[in-house]
Amino acid sequence: MLDIVNSSYLRKTRRKNHSIKGYIQIGKILVHIIAAIMIIAVMSNKSPAIIISSLGAVAAVLMLVFQHTLLSLVANVQLSSNDVLQLGDWIEMPDKNLSGEVTDIALHTITIRNWDNTISRIPTKNFLTETYTNWQAMFSSGARRIMRSTTIDQHSVRFLNQEILAPMLALRGVSEPLAKLIDGRDPTGVADSWFVDNGLTNLTLFRHYLMAYLAERPDIIKDMYIVVRTLKPSASGIPLEIYCFTTSTMWMDYENTQSAIFEYITAVVETFSLRLYQYPAGHDFWRLSQKG
């Protein structure tokens, strides 16, 4: 009967991602306990009430025997009542190198199908004591965050001047952010000293250009944060971080959008007289030897 209740719930309920399997298993344990008491009562020709009252003497032993069951029950109730874990959720447990979809929530274990199609079972009580990440809230929000940086060579950062500004003006989308930075002046008529006095560098213009570029992309959400910022400089250069949210939460769409943005940055950065920093490789040393 309990199995029928579970099957009926899974078939008829609107909340397909919730599981009552843990409670069904508790019901089965209670049925077995009641059946055992009735069998003992029949065999000993005593009232079941007397047998139940005599169990108080072995309560400590029962607690020891069923301690894992009780812990799992408490964990199952807390997970269900707090609605922090459901069937179909994508979870990650870095300590155990697990990342996949929750396929079963039972009394003692939670089953996860990893993205490499392996199966992992984790004790239910571990979800109260260990750190894990549930990505389902991200899917529900309809937005997925991009927060990645590339590194700018510090030696390529300089004040704007008419010489390096000319190729930038030929790029579509530069005029609007530049007009805001120079208070609507004609960029071709601004003296080089004005850029120095007002602290406008090629990196400043590049940051504002990228924010305008991201805001124009149809796969970036306009109503959420769009930030392009520089982080603390290091021996590897100046990190330039992109912070925005994609309109699609699907992994393939998200990765395509993120890759397209940074591929564009890699290609367009030289137009702003900037260089990306990377460690020298064998080809770099070969080029130096050829020049020598």
Side-chain angles (χ1 to χ4, degrees), residues 57-103:
V58 293
V61 177
L62 291 176
M63 290 289 289
L64 181 62
V65 172
F66 292 102
Q67 61 174 330
H68 294 296
T69 301
L70 294 174
L71 287 173
S72 298
L73 174 61
V74 172
N76 208 298
V77 170
Q78 291 193 10
L79 290 176
S80 299
S81 60
N82 294 330
D83 206 19
V84 295
L85 190 66
Q86 303 173 3
L87 292 176
D89 285 2
W90 169 20
I91 66 169
E92 283 186 342
M93 299 187 75
D95 294 341
K96 291 184 167 46
N97 196 27
L98 296 179
S99 178
E101 179 184 357
V102 177
T103 58

Side-chain angles (χ1 to χ4, degrees), residues 147-164:
M147 189 174 69
R148 181 183 287 185
S149 62
T150 188
T151 309
I152 302 295
D153 189 343
Q154 301 182 55
H155 296 292
S156 65
V157 180
R158 64 194 68 182
F159 289 111
L160 287 175
N161 56 54
Q162 291 298 329
E163 181 182 355
I164 66 173

Side-chain angles (χ1 to χ4, degrees), residues 165 169 175 178-191 194-195 198 200:
L165 191 60
L169 293 174
S175 300
L178 178 59
K180 293 180 180 179
L181 290 173
I182 62 177
D183 301 326
R185 294 177 173 84
D186 180 11
T188 59
V190 178
W194 189 91
F195 293 117
N198 290 273
L200 291 183

